[in-house]
Coordinates of all heavy atoms in Angstrom, one line a residue:
Chain A
S195 N 95.6 106.5 57.7 CA 95.3 106.7 56.3 C 95.2 105.4 55.5 O 94.8 105.4 54.4 CB 96.3 107.6 55.6 OG 97.5 107.0 55.6
C196 N 95.5 104.3 56.2 CA 95.5 103.0 55.5 C 94.6 102.0 56.3 O 95.2 101.0 56.8 CB 96.9 102.5 55.4 SG 97.8 103.2 54.0
P197 N 93.3 102.2 56.3 CA 92.5 101.2 57.0 C 92.5 99.8 56.3 O 92.7 99.8 55.1 CB 91.1 101.8 57.0 CG 91.1 102.9 56.0 CD 92.5 103.2 55.7
L198 N 92.4 98.8 57.0 CA 92.4 97.4 56.5 C 91.0 97.1 55.9 O 90.0 97.7 56.3 CB 92.7 96.4 57.5 CG 94.2 96.4 58.1 CD1 94.2 95.4 59.3 CD2 95.2 96.0 57.0
Q199 N 91.0 96.2 54.9 CA 89.7 95.8 54.3 C 88.9 95.1 55.4 O 87.7 95.3 55.5 CB 90.0 94.7 53.2 CG 90.6 95.4 51.9 CD 89.5 96.1 51.1 OE1 88.4 95.6 51.0 NE2 89.8 97.3 50.7
E200 N 89.6 94.3 56.2 CA 88.9 93.5 57.2 C 88.6 94.3 58.4 O 89.5 94.7 59.1 CB 89.7 92.2 57.5 CG 89.0 90.9 57.3 CD 89.9 89.7 57.6 OE1 91.1 89.8 57.2 OE2 89.4 88.8 58.1
K201 N 87.3 94.5 58.7 CA 86.9 95.3 59.9 C 86.8 94.3 61.1 O 86.8 93.1 60.9 CB 85.6 96.0 59.7 CG 85.7 97.0 58.5 CD 86.7 98.0 58.7 CE 87.0 98.8 57.4 NZ 88.3 99.5 57.4
I202 N 86.5 94.8 62.2 CA 86.3 94.0 63.4 C 85.1 93.1 63.2 O 84.0 93.6 62.8 CB 86.1 94.8 64.7 CG1 87.4 95.6 64.9 CG2 85.8 93.9 65.9 CD1 87.4 96.5 66.2
P203 N 85.2 91.8 63.2 CA 84.0 90.9 62.9 C 82.8 91.2 63.7 O 82.9 91.6 64.9 CB 84.6 89.5 63.2 CG 86.1 89.6 63.0 CD 86.4 91.0 63.5
K204 N 81.6 90.9 63.1 CA 80.3 91.3 63.7 C 80.1 90.6 65.0 O 79.4 91.1 65.9 CB 79.2 91.0 62.7 CG 79.2 91.9 61.5 CD 77.8 92.0 61.0 CE 77.7 93.1 59.9 NZ 78.5 92.9 58.7
I205 N 80.7 89.4 65.1 CA 80.5 88.6 66.4 C 80.8 89.4 67.6 O 80.2 89.2 68.7 CB 81.3 87.3 66.3 CG1 81.0 86.4 67.4 CG2 82.8 87.6 66.2 CD1 81.7 85.1 67.4
C206 N 81.7 90.4 67.5 CA 82.1 91.2 68.6 C 81.0 92.1 69.2 O 81.2 92.7 70.2 CB 83.4 92.0 68.3 SG 84.8 90.9 67.9
K207 N 80.0 92.3 68.4 CA 78.9 93.3 68.8 C 78.4 93.0 70.2 O 78.1 93.9 70.9 CB 77.8 93.3 67.8 CG 78.1 94.2 66.6 CD 76.9 94.3 65.7 CE 77.2 95.3 64.5 NZ 76.2 95.2 63.5
L208 N 78.3 91.7 70.5 CA 77.7 91.3 71.8 C 78.6 91.8 72.9 O 78.1 92.0 74.1 CB 77.5 89.8 71.9 CG 78.7 88.8 72.2 CD1 78.8 88.6 73.7 CD2 78.5 87.6 71.4
L209 N 79.9 92.0 72.6 CA 80.8 92.5 73.7 C 80.5 93.9 74.2 O 80.5 94.2 75.4 CB 82.3 92.4 73.2 CG 82.8 91.1 72.7 CD1 84.2 91.3 72.1 CD2 82.8 90.1 73.8
W210 N 80.2 94.8 73.2 CA 79.9 96.2 73.6 C 78.6 96.3 74.4 O 78.6 97.0 75.3 CB 79.9 97.1 72.3 CG 80.8 96.6 71.2 CD1 80.5 96.6 69.9 CD2 82.1 96.2 71.3 NE1 81.6 96.1 69.2 CE2 82.6 95.9 70.0 CE3 83.0 96.1 72.4 CZ2 83.9 95.4 69.8 CZ3 84.3 95.6 72.1 CH2 84.7 95.3 70.8
R211 N 77.6 95.5 74.0 CA 76.3 95.5 74.7 C 76.6 95.0 76.2 O 76.1 95.5 77.1 CB 75.3 94.6 74.0 CG 74.6 95.2 72.8 CD 73.4 94.5 72.5 NE 73.6 93.1 72.2 CZ 73.9 92.6 71.0 NH1 74.0 93.5 70.0 NH2 74.0 91.3 70.8
R212 N 77.4 93.9 76.2 CA 77.6 93.3 77.6 C 78.4 94.3 78.5 O 78.2 94.4 79.6 CB 78.3 92.0 77.4 CG 78.2 91.2 78.7 CD 78.3 89.7 78.5 NE 77.3 89.1 77.6 CZ 77.4 88.0 77.0 NH1 78.5 87.2 77.2 NH2 76.4 87.5 76.2
L213 N 79.4 95.0 77.9 CA 80.2 95.9 78.6 C 79.3 97.0 79.2 O 79.4 97.4 80.4 CB 81.3 96.5 77.8 CG 82.6 95.7 77.6 CD1 83.4 96.3 76.5 CD2 83.4 95.8 78.9
Q214 N 78.3 97.4 78.4 CA 77.3 98.4 78.8 C 76.5 97.9 80.0 O 76.3 98.6 81.0 CB 76.3 98.7 77.7 CG 76.2 100.2 77.4 CD 75.4 100.4 76.1 OE1 75.0 99.5 75.4 NE2 75.3 101.7 75.8
H215 N 76.2 96.6 79.9 CA 75.4 96.0 81.0 C 76.3 96.0 82.3 O 75.7 96.2 83.4 CB 75.1 94.6 80.6 CG 74.7 93.7 81.7 ND1 73.4 93.7 82.3 CD2 75.3 92.7 82.4 CE1 73.3 92.9 83.2 NE2 74.5 92.2 83.4
Y216 N 77.6 95.9 82.2 CA 78.5 95.9 83.4 C 78.8 97.4 83.8 O 79.6 97.6 84.7 CB 79.8 95.2 83.1 CG 79.6 93.7 83.3 CD1 79.5 92.9 82.2 CD2 79.7 93.1 84.6 CE1 79.4 91.5 82.3 CE2 79.6 91.7 84.7 CZ 79.4 90.9 83.6 OH 79.4 89.6 83.7
G217 N 78.2 98.4 83.1 CA 78.5 99.8 83.5 C 79.6 100.4 82.7 O 80.0 101.5 83.1
Y218 N 80.1 99.8 81.6 CA 81.2 100.4 80.9 C 80.6 100.9 79.5 O 80.4 100.1 78.6 CB 82.3 99.4 80.6 CG 83.1 99.1 81.8 CD1 82.8 98.0 82.6 CD2 84.1 99.9 82.2 CE1 83.5 97.7 83.7 CE2 84.8 99.6 83.4 CZ 84.5 98.5 84.1 OH 85.2 98.2 85.2
D219 N 80.3 102.2 79.5 CA 79.7 102.8 78.2 C 80.8 103.3 77.4 O 81.2 104.5 77.5 CB 78.7 103.9 78.6 CG 77.7 104.1 77.5 OD1 77.9 103.5 76.4 OD2 76.8 104.9 77.7
L220 N 81.4 102.4 76.6 CA 82.7 102.8 75.9 C 82.6 103.0 74.4 O 83.5 103.5 73.8 CB 83.7 101.7 76.2 CG 84.1 101.3 77.6 CD1 84.8 100.0 77.7 CD2 84.9 102.4 78.3
G221 N 81.4 102.7 73.9 CA 81.3 102.8 72.4 C 81.9 101.6 71.7 O 82.1 100.5 72.4
V222 N 82.3 101.7 70.5 CA 82.8 100.6 69.7 C 84.2 100.9 69.2 O 84.5 101.9 68.6 CB 81.9 100.4 68.4 CG1 82.4 99.2 67.6 CG2 80.5 100.1 68.9
P223 N 85.2 100.0 69.6 CA 86.6 100.2 69.2 C 86.7 100.0 67.7 O 85.9 99.5 67.0 CB 87.3 99.2 70.0 CG 86.3 98.1 70.3 CD 85.0 98.8 70.4
V224 N 87.9 100.6 67.1 CA 88.1 100.5 65.7 C 89.2 99.6 65.3 O 89.4 99.3 64.1 CB 88.3 101.9 65.1 CG1 87.1 102.7 65.3 CG2 89.5 102.5 65.7
Q225 N 90.0 99.1 66.3 CA 91.1 98.3 65.9 C 91.2 97.1 66.8 O 90.9 97.2 68.0 CB 92.4 99.1 66.1 CG 93.7 98.6 65.4 CD 94.4 97.6 66.2 OE1 94.4 97.7 67.4 NE2 95.2 96.7 65.6
L226 N 91.5 96.0 66.2 CA 91.6 94.7 66.9 C 92.9 94.0 66.6 O 93.2 93.8 65.4 CB 90.4 93.8 66.6 CG 90.5 92.3 67.0 CD1 90.7 92.1 68.5 CD2 89.3 91.5 66.5
T227 N 93.6 93.6 67.6 CA 94.8 92.7 67.3 C 94.5 91.4 68.0 O 94.2 91.3 69.2 CB 96.1 93.3 68.0 OG1 96.3 94.6 67.3 CG2 97.3 92.4 67.7
V228 N 94.7 90.3 67.2 CA 94.5 88.9 67.8 C 95.9 88.3 68.0 O 96.7 88.3 67.0 CB 93.6 88.1 66.8 CG1 93.5 86.7 67.4 CG2 92.3 88.7 66.6
N229 N 96.1 87.9 69.2 CA 97.4 87.2 69.4 C 97.1 85.8 69.8 O 96.3 85.5 70.6 CB 98.1 87.8 70.7 CG 98.8 89.1 70.3 OD1 99.9 89.1 69.6 ND2 98.2 90.2 70.7
K230 N 97.9 84.8 69.2 CA 97.7 83.4 69.6 C 99.0 83.0 70.3 O 100.1 83.1 69.7 CB 97.5 82.6 68.3 CG 97.3 81.1 68.6 CD 97.0 80.4 67.2 CE 97.0 78.9 67.4 NZ 96.7 78.3 66.1
Y231 N 98.8 82.5 71.5 CA 100.0 82.1 72.3 C 99.9 80.6 72.5 O 99.0 80.1 73.0 CB 100.0 82.7 73.7 CG 100.0 84.2 73.7 CD1 98.9 85.0 73.7 CD2 101.3 84.9 73.8 CE1 98.9 86.4 73.7 CE2 101.3 86.3 73.9 CZ 100.1 87.0 73.8 OH 100.2 88.4 73.9
L232 N 101.0 79.9 72.1 CA 101.1 78.4 72.4 C 101.7 78.4 73.8 O 102.4 79.3 74.2 CB 101.9 77.7 71.4 CG 101.2 77.7 70.0 CD1 102.2 77.1 68.9 CD2 99.9 77.1 70.0
P233 N 101.5 77.2 74.5 CA 102.3 77.1 75.8 C 103.8 77.4 75.6 O 104.3 76.9 74.6 CB 102.0 75.7 76.2 CG 100.7 75.3 75.6 CD 100.7 76.1 74.2
G234 N 104.4 78.1 76.4 CA 105.8 78.5 76.2 C 106.0 79.8 75.6 O 107.1 80.3 75.6
Q235 N 105.0 80.4 74.9 CA 105.1 81.7 74.3 C 104.6 82.8 75.2 O 103.8 82.6 76.1 CB 104.3 81.7 73.0 CG 104.9 80.7 72.0 CD 104.1 80.8 70.6 OE1 102.9 81.0 70.6 NE2 104.9 80.5 69.6
G236 N 105.2 84.0 75.0 CA 104.8 85.1 75.8 C 104.9 86.4 75.1 O 105.1 86.4 73.9
I237 N 104.9 87.5 75.8 CA 105.0 88.8 75.2 C 105.9 89.7 76.2 O 105.6 89.6 77.4 CB 103.6 89.5 74.9 CG1 103.8 90.8 74.2 CG2 102.8 89.6 76.1 CD1 102.5 91.3 73.6
P238 N 106.9 90.4 75.6 CA 107.7 91.2 76.5 C 106.9 92.3 77.2 O 105.9 92.7 76.7 CB 108.8 91.8 75.6 CG 108.7 91.0 74.3 CD 107.3 90.5 74.2
S239 N 107.4 92.7 78.3 CA 106.8 93.8 79.1 C 106.7 95.0 78.2 O 107.7 95.4 77.6 CB 107.7 94.2 80.3 OG 107.0 93.8 81.4
H240 N 105.5 95.7 78.2 CA 105.3 96.8 77.3 C 104.2 97.7 77.8 O 103.4 97.2 78.6 CB 105.0 96.4 75.9 CG 103.7 95.7 75.7 ND1 103.5 94.4 76.1 CD2 102.5 96.2 75.3 CE1 102.3 94.1 75.9 NE2 101.6 95.1 75.4
V241 N 104.1 98.9 77.4 CA 102.9 99.7 77.6 C 102.4 100.0 76.2 O 103.2 100.2 75.3 CB 103.2 101.0 78.4 CG1 104.1 102.0 77.6 CG2 101.9 101.7 78.8
D242 N 101.1 99.9 76.0 CA 100.6 100.3 74.6 C 100.8 101.8 74.5 O 100.5 102.6 75.3 CB 99.1 100.0 74.6 CG 98.8 98.5 74.5 OD1 98.8 97.9 75.6 OD2 98.7 97.9 73.4
K243 N 101.5 102.1 73.3 CA 101.9 103.5 73.1 C 100.8 104.5 73.4 O 99.7 104.3 72.9 CB 102.4 103.6 71.7 CG 103.3 104.8 71.4 CD 104.0 104.7 70.0 CE 104.8 105.9 69.7 NZ 105.4 105.8 68.4
H244 N 101.1 105.6 74.1 CA 100.1 106.5 74.5 C 99.4 107.2 73.4 O 98.1 107.2 73.3 CB 100.7 107.5 75.5 CG 101.0 106.9 76.8 ND1 101.2 107.7 77.9 CD2 101.2 105.7 77.2 CE1 101.5 107.0 79.0 NE2 101.5 105.7 78.6
S245 N 100.1 108.0 72.6 CA 99.5 108.9 71.7 C 98.6 108.3 70.6 O 97.6 109.0 70.3 CB 100.6 109.9 71.1 OG 101.5 109.1 70.3
P246 N 98.9 107.2 70.0 CA 98.0 106.7 68.9 C 96.7 106.1 69.4 O 95.8 105.9 68.6 CB 98.9 105.7 68.2 CG 100.2 105.6 68.8 CD 100.1 106.3 70.1
F247 N 96.6 105.8 70.7 CA 95.5 105.0 71.1 C 94.7 105.7 72.3 O 95.3 106.5 73.0 CB 95.9 103.6 71.5 CG 96.5 102.8 70.4 CD1 97.9 102.5 70.5 CD2 95.8 102.5 69.3 CE1 98.5 101.8 69.5 CE2 96.4 101.8 68.2 CZ 97.8 101.5 68.3
G248 N 93.4 105.4 72.4 CA 92.6 106.0 73.4 C 92.8 105.6 74.8 O 93.8 104.8 75.1

Side-chain angles (χ1 to χ4, degrees):
Chain A
S195 63
C196 281
L198 293 172
Q199 288 286 315
E200 234 175 325
K201 302 299 168 202
I202 297 180
K204 290 207 169 62
I205 186 177
C206 296
K207 279 187 178 166
L208 79 94
L209 303 175
W210 326 136
R211 281 199 303 271
R212 196 157 299 164
L213 276 165
Q214 229 168 3
H215 166 77
Y216 278 101
Y218 291 95
D219 201 353
L220 301 168
V222 179
V224 296
Q225 196 272 335
L226 163 62
T227 299
V228 180
N229 280 288
K230 178 178 175 178
Y231 300 89
L232 298 175
Q235 297 182 327
I237 184 168
S239 248
H240 66 282
V241 67
D242 289 81
K243 199 171 178 181
H244 288 197
S245 63
F247 302 113

